[in-house]
């Protein structure tokens, strides 16, 4: 039935043929395999979760996710049910009869995809035999002391066994198996070694060795072609893991990665050029009210202001209405995530704001989990003082209001000297005295286990950002992920992001970068770099990213000091914006969310699946070797209205940031801009294979 179906990549009415002629999903089964299915470890879980709805809508009952079984995750995230597909049902039954505990159900996320979860512990007794099978398949040995690699081998062996049972009873349907990261790669290697009739895809979200090298402050991007890969992996005692990853890459019919910068890295680290770049997206939700995200920003900003009032009690001599909230969030990788360059630029920003006698204050949050003992007592006391003062004000207000109410009922204007008695004055004086403090506001909300050696705290001591009254830049390290149940800052991450003004992520190693992408979807401007996948993606698709609130720091072709100066200028320019300019910019930023919607980015995966089928089953599926057509000019245009960017602000000092420019009102037409952007996003995507290397302008710097 499928013989002769053409998957050629020829243009039809401006669209690629494979877009017009979609895959016959009713005749296929799609499986995605990852260690992070129902098991959040890092960003891959976000990729799978957010993509699930779009994929489930397209594939329906023929879409399945394979992952590890953990009892606590199963109880809280999965609704058990019986598989409707006969081949999957038989595979689960056969494996259960042989002593392997396999669980089936629906993952309770958007899209409710089917999940098949393998209990690793129940099959651990097969480990030695499966190590032998793996050695025979690819010649890679796994040491007994590496528990994680051993678990991955068990997981992969169970995955390959499952695919063998499925393909034996698939009744003419073709199977596509998509494996994420090296943890799932053993299943791919074993499936290919056993010549199972499946089309395989492998996606690396970050190369294993690349992450290790960057964490060690190696001049990574300058020496991509100079590393002795085997030696570097061996010195870090991950040679067997590296071999598992590399074997997975070379066994797959189609190899993909998440960004152009990671594609270059993979070509050098894993010795294979990716076939398709598949950018990560998000499940974008649009509000029915156009400016609802602006209202949410105001609401959550007020909650952050409440926290700041408590944290800086006794030193609250700055205007919260002229205070900007910046943040950086993610894994505590000091250099990889750019915390080092961010702190240095904050020191320079503090100097600029003080030199210009600015009335703008910048409060910066570092949301990076680290080892802590408990909450900082001084921080808890600050929130307690704030709440106590709030209660005092309310009691005095009620008493004052009752007296005022009674006087007006009698037709009298109350005597303001008598409306507050001596007790009320005493209570207010005591409240004022309780807000006095001799010490400076703390720079961290928790007691750090390694306070003296902590990289962020050590840098804060070196640059002297101790939250002094004279400092225009205040720093708060929150070494825990945010939670709505926290006694300090009771907000979820999404609520916190919406309440901030700017997210800053000047990463040195960031294969994609979900944090700035999440900011964009919520309408919050962000700073990224040209070494992150997200930054490269925005440079490619937006004519002037800065005008849309995406500030891209050049960390590839500039020295560390120049990159730091550029980041400082971005931050200083942002401080110079007026309130109205920030509102305009947030509107523009939020409109970019369509670029990151899986409804658009999912077509990259669709292309990769077509390619995998054509290579696995060339006699039944055919894809011509030509690249998909390039759509010229697919870019959000540079807005014609002012201000194109914060650096274009006319004022020389942030002190005038609250002054409105009347000419802006005449030149800015939001509806006109929005309509132009909507027309641009409807243009078909340019689904290139990995582009040939860009011409090097001059030597790339490590910073």
């Amino acid at each position: 039935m499928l013989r002769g179906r053409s998957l050629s990549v020829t243009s039809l009415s401006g669209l690629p043929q494979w877009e017009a002629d979609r895959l016959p999903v009713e005749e296929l089964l799609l499986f995605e395999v990852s260690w992070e299915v129902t098991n959040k470890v890092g960003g891959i879980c976000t990729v799978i979760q957010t993509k699930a709805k779009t994929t489930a809508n397209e594939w329906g009952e023929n879409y399945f996710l394979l992952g590890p079984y953990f009892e606590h995750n199963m109880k809280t995230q999965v609704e058990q049910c019986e598989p409707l597909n006969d081949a999957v049902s038989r595979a689960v039954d056969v494996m259960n009869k042989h002593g392997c505990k396999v669980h089936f159900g629906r993952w309770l996320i958007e899209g409710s995809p089917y999940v098949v979860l393998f209990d690793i512990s129940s099959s651990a007794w097969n480990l030695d035999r499966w190590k032998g099978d793996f050695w025979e398949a690819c010649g890679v040995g796994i040491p007994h002391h590496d528990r994680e690699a051993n678990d991955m081998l068990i997981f992969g062996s169970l995955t390959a066994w499952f695919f063998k049972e499925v393909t034996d009873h698939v009744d003419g349907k073709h199977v596509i198996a998509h494996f994420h990261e090296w943890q799932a790669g053993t299943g791919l290697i074993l499936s290919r070694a056993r010549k199972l009739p499946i089309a395989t895809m492998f996606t690396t979200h970050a190369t294993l060795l690349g992450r290790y090298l960057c964490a060690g402050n190696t001049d990574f991007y300058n020496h991509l072609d100079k590393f002795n890969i085997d030696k570097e992996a061996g010195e870090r005692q991950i040679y067997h893991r590296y071999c598992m990853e590399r074997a997975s890459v070379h066994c797959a019919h189609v190899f993909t990665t998440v960004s152009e910068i990671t594609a270059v890295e993979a070509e050098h680290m894993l010795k294979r050029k990716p076939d398709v770049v598949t950018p990560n997206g998000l499940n974008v939700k649009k509000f029915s009210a156009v400016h609802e995200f602006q209202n949410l920003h105001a609401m959550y900003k007020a909650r952050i202001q409440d926290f700041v009032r408590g944290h800086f009690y006794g030193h609250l001599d700055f205007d919260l209405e002229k205070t900007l909230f910046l943040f950086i969030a993610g894994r505590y990788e000091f250099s990889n995530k750019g915390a080092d360059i961010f702190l240095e630029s904050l020191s320079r920003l503090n100097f600029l704001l003080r030199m210009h006698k600015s009335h703008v204050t910048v409060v910066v949050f570092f949301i990076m989990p680290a080892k802590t003992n408990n909450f900082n007592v001084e921080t808890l006391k600050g929130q307690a003082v704030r709440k106590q003062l709030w209660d005092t004000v309310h009691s005095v207000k009620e008493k004052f209001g009752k007296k005022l109410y009674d006087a007006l009922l009698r037709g009298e204007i109350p005597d303001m000297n008598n409306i507050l008695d001596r007790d009320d004055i005493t209570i207010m004086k005591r409240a004022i005295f309780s807000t006095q403090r001799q010490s400076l506001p703390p720079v961290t909300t928790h007691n750090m286990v390694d306070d003296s050696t902590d990289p962020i705290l050590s840098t804060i001591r070196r640059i002297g950002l101790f939250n002094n009254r004279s400092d225009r830049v205040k720093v708060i390290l929150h070494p825990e992920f945010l939670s709505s149940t926290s006694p300090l800052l009771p907000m979820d991450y999404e609520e916190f992001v919406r309440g901030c003004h700017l997210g800053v992520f000047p990463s040195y190693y960031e294969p994609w970068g979900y944090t700035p992408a999440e900011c964009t979807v919520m309408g919050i401007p962000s700073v990224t770099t040209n070494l992150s996948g997200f930054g490269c993606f925005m440079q490619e698709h937006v004519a002037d990213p800065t005008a849309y609130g995406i500030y891209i720091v050049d960390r590839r072709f500039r020295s560390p000091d120049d990159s730091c100066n550029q980041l400082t200028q971005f931050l200083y320019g942002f401080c110079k914006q007026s309130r109205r300019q920030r509102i305009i910019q947030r509107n523009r930023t939020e409109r970019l969310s369509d670029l990151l919607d899986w409804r658009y980015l999912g077509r990259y995966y669709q292309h990769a699946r077509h390619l995998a089928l054509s290579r696995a089953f060339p006699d039944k599926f055919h894809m011509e070797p030509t690249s998909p057509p390039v759509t010229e000019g697919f870019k959000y245009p540079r807005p014609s209205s002012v201000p194109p960017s914060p650096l274009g602000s006319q004022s020389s000092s942030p002190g005038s940031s609250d002054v409105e420019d009347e000419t802006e009102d005449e030149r800015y037409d939001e509806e006109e801009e929005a309509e132009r952007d909507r027309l641009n996003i409807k243009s078909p995507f340019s689904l290139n294979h990995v582009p040939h290397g860009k011409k090097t302008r001059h030597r790339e710097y490590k910073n």
Side-chain angles (χ1 to χ4, degrees):
M1 181 178 179
L2 297 175
R3 186 178 297 276
R5 173 182 280 277
S6 175
L7 300 180
S8 61
V9 188
T10 54
S11 182
L12 177 64
S13 301
L15 283 173
Q17 176 64 35
W18 47 265
E19 261 290 271
D21 187 16
R22 294 184 178 277
L23 279 173
V25 295
E26 67 281 353
E27 301 165 12
L28 300 168
L29 294 179
L30 173 62
F31 296 88
E32 285 198 59
V33 188
S34 172
W35 188 254
E36 296 200 32
V37 170
T38 75
N39 175 43
K40 185 168 179 61
V41 178
I44 300 172
C45 186
T46 304
V47 175
I48 295 170
Q49 273 188 310
T50 56
K51 184 164 62 70
K53 182 178 180 181
T54 303
T55 312
N57 287 343
E58 181 184 353
W59 288 78
E61 302 292 308
N62 293 345
Y63 175 52
F64 304 87
L65 295 168
L66 276 58
Y69 167 82
F70 293 102
E71 185 178 4
H72 59 283
N73 291 339
M74 185 76 182
K75 288 182 176 179
T76 58
Q77 300 183 45
V78 179
E79 178 186 17
Q80 283 191 288
C81 63
E82 292 298 320
L84 299 178
N85 183 280
D86 185 58
V88 173
S89 180
R90 288 191 183 188
V92 171
D93 289 341
V94 168
M95 294 181 72
N96 279 324
K97 287 176 182 177
H98 283 81
C100 300
K101 294 181 180 178
V102 183
H103 302 264
F104 188 88
R106 284 193 180 273
W107 193 2
L108 300 179
I109 59 174
E110 286 192 89
S112 301
Y114 288 125
V115 290
V116 182
L117 305 178
F118 302 108
D119 189 339
I120 306 300
S121 59
S122 70
S123 302
W125 57 278
N126 290 301
L127 180 60
D128 289 338
R129 175 166 63 87
W130 285 342
K131 279 188 177 182
D133 293 343
F134 194 64
W135 173 264
E136 292 176 4
C138 62
V140 176
I142 300 176
H144 69 277
H145 60 78
D146 189 344
R147 181 172 179 178
E148 184 179 5
N150 287 324
D151 284 348
M152 299 311 132
L153 176 59
I154 297 171
F155 178 52
S157 299
L158 290 170
T159 302
W161 182 1
F162 176 81
F163 282 134
K164 173 67 168 61
E165 298 297 334
V166 168
T167 52
D168 283 349
H169 305 94
V170 80
D171 294 333
K173 289 189 176 182
H174 291 78
V175 175
I176 305 173
H178 184 182
F179 299 82
H180 293 268
E181 282 295 301
W182 72 273
Q183 290 96 330
T186 51
L188 189 159
I189 296 166
L190 292 169
S191 296
R192 294 284 280 150
R194 294 165 186 171
K195 295 182 169 54
L196 299 183
I198 60 176
T200 57
M201 296 165 53
F202 182 81
T203 297
T204 181
H205 297 259
T207 68
L208 187 65
L209 187 55
R211 192 176 291 280
Y212 272 86
L213 289 169
C214 286
N217 289 322
T218 308
D219 190 359
F220 184 64
Y221 292 99
N222 276 338
H223 295 90
L224 271 176
D225 57 343
K226 301 180 179 65
F227 287 116
N228 183 331
I229 303 299
D230 293 335
K231 175 176 176 290
E232 296 290 349
E235 287 179 350
R236 287 159 178 80
Q237 298 184 3
I238 58 166
Y239 186 69
H240 57 288
R241 296 189 183 192
Y242 166 73
C243 290
M244 293 163 71
E245 181 182 40
R246 184 165 169 178
S248 303
V249 167
H250 287 269
C251 283
H253 290 107
V254 170
F255 171 43
T256 78
T257 189
V258 297
S259 64
E260 291 181 19
I261 194 74
T262 312
V264 175
E265 173 191 341
E267 189 173 358
H268 288 90
M269 295 287 108
L270 301 172
K271 307 305 179 184
R272 179 178 176 181
K273 185 177 181 179
D275 300 292
V276 184
V277 171
T278 52
N280 290 333
L282 288 161
N283 191 16
V284 177
K285 298 177 183 176
K286 291 290 187 179
F287 294 108
S288 54
V290 178
H291 295 299
E292 179 61 22
F293 76 96
Q294 296 278 15
N295 298 333
L296 291 175
H297 167 71
M299 180 174 71
Y300 293 126
K301 181 180 73 172
R303 289 170 61 177
I304 297 175
Q305 288 175 335
D306 278 344
F307 169 80
V308 169
R309 288 185 179 98
H311 192 82
F312 291 94
Y313 83 92
H315 289 257
L316 200 64
D317 51 357
F318 51 91
D319 186 353
L320 283 174
E321 293 305 315
K322 295 181 181 178
T323 298
L324 302 179
F325 299 129
L326 278 57
F327 79 100
I328 181 173
R331 285 189 301 273
Y332 200 140
E333 297 177 8
F334 185 65
S335 297
N336 280 1
K337 295 300 182 184
D340 51 354
I341 188 177
F342 186 27
L343 280 166
E344 184 61 40
S345 65
L346 288 177
S347 175
R348 300 178 186 187
L349 175 65
N350 188 47
F351 170 77
L352 287 175
L353 294 176
R354 291 173 62 177
M355 182 179 69
H356 287 286
K357 294 180 171 49
S358 170
H359 297 298
V360 173
T361 302
V362 178
V363 176
V364 184
F365 293 87
F366 287 76
I367 313 295
M368 307 180 86
K371 292 181 179 178
T372 62
N373 287 326
N374 213 325
F375 292 111
N376 186 310
V377 173
E378 190 65 21
T379 304
L380 287 172
K381 181 183 176 184
Q383 299 307 313
V385 167
R386 177 188 65 80
K387 290 174 183 175
Q388 183 183 26
L389 186 60
W390 182 254
D391 292 340
T392 300
V393 169
H394 266 271
S395 64
V396 173
K397 184 179 73 172
E398 286 182 9
K399 194 173 180 180
F400 175 91
K402 189 175 184 305
K403 289 182 179 179
L404 179 61
Y405 175 66
D406 291 338
L408 293 177
L409 277 178
R410 294 193 300 268
E412 302 173 357
I413 297 296
D415 184 355
M416 291 299 161
N417 295 321
N418 297 326
I419 203 165
L420 291 177
D421 56 31
R422 182 175 298 176
D423 289 341
D424 296 329
I425 302 297
T426 301
I427 290 173
M428 288 191 288
K429 286 181 178 178
R430 287 174 60 184
I432 293 173
F433 290 154
S434 70
T435 62
Q436 305 304 307
R437 85 195 308 177
Q438 301 303 316
S439 60
L440 293 173
V443 295
T444 177
T445 58
H446 293 62
N447 295 321
M448 305 290 288
V449 171
D450 300 315
D451 183 290
S452 60
T453 59
D454 181 81
I456 290 179
L457 294 181
S458 297
T459 306
I460 288 173
R461 295 185 189 103
R462 178 177 61 81
I463 62 180
L465 282 181
F466 296 122
N467 295 338
N468 285 300
R469 290 181 183 274
S470 58
D471 287 331
R472 296 273 52 84
V473 174
K474 320 284 187 180
V475 178
I476 302 173
L477 170 60
H478 189 282
E480 272 189 2
F481 285 129
L482 296 168
S483 170
S484 58
T485 59
S486 170
L488 280 182
L489 187 54
M491 300 178 73
D492 289 329
Y493 178 72
E494 180 180 337
E495 297 171 344
F496 176 79
V497 172
R498 288 191 182 278
C500 288
H501 295 91
L502 181 71
V504 185
F505 315 101
S507 304
Y508 180 72
Y509 185 78
E510 191 71 82
W512 175 246
Y514 255 121
T515 40
E518 288 167 337
C519 286
T520 302
V521 169
M522 297 182 210
I524 302 300
S526 62
V527 175
T528 182
T529 73
N530 60 353
L531 290 181
S532 76
F534 173 81
C536 294
F537 181 82
M538 284 300 175
Q539 278 184 320
E540 181 183 353
H541 290 94
V542 182
D544 183 5
T546 303
Y548 286 89
I550 310 294
Y551 302 90
I552 301 174
V553 177
D554 185 355
R555 296 201 64 179
R556 190 171 185 182
F557 300 107
R558 293 195 182 199
S559 67
D561 190 59
D562 286 345
S563 296
C564 189
N565 283 333
Q566 185 185 23
L567 176 56
T568 304
Q569 287 304 313
F570 281 154
L571 299 179
Y572 182 61
F574 189 81
C575 292
K576 291 165 68 174
Q577 285 185 316
S578 68
R579 183 187 186 93
R580 186 174 184 279
Q581 286 173 326
R582 292 197 301 271
I583 291 173
I584 292 172
Q585 190 179 58
R586 282 198 295 272
N587 286 334
R588 291 175 180 165
T589 302
E590 195 271 341
R591 286 202 296 275
L592 291 183
S593 60
D594 285 337
L595 275 176
L596 303 170
D597 197 327
W598 276 121
R599 289 177 297 172
Y600 294 98
L601 297 184
R603 60 186 73 182
Y604 288 96
Y605 280 91
Q606 185 183 357
H607 174 49
R609 292 173 195 135
H610 275 275
L611 192 57
L613 283 169
S614 69
R615 291 177 177 177
F617 310 108
D619 56 331
K620 297 181 180 179
F621 296 88
H622 174 63
M623 174 175 274
E624 293 180 5
T626 54
S627 299
V630 177
T631 304
E632 295 295 339
F634 176 73
K635 277 199 175 186
Y636 271 82
R638 184 180 185 278
S640 57
S641 61
V642 296
S645 72
L647 299 180
S649 251
Q650 298 301 312
S651 58
S652 61
S653 166
S656 61
S657 64
D658 57 341
V659 178
E660 300 290 349
D661 185 350
E662 291 302 323
T663 60
E664 285 180 28
D665 295 329
E666 300 171 8
R667 297 183 60 185
Y668 175 66
D669 188 334
E670 181 187 338
E671 289 304 318
E672 182 182 333
E673 273 191 18
E675 181 59 29
R676 187 161 56 248
D677 289 343
R678 279 192 290 270
L679 292 174
N680 271 275
I681 193 63
K682 290 176 183 175
S683 302
F685 265 48
S686 163
L687 299 183
N688 293 327
H689 290 275
V690 180
H692 299 293
K694 294 180 181 178
K695 188 180 293 185
T696 304
R697 290 177 291 174
H698 49 81
R699 178 172 172 79
E700 297 179 2
Y701 286 93
K702 152 71 182 173
N703 58 83

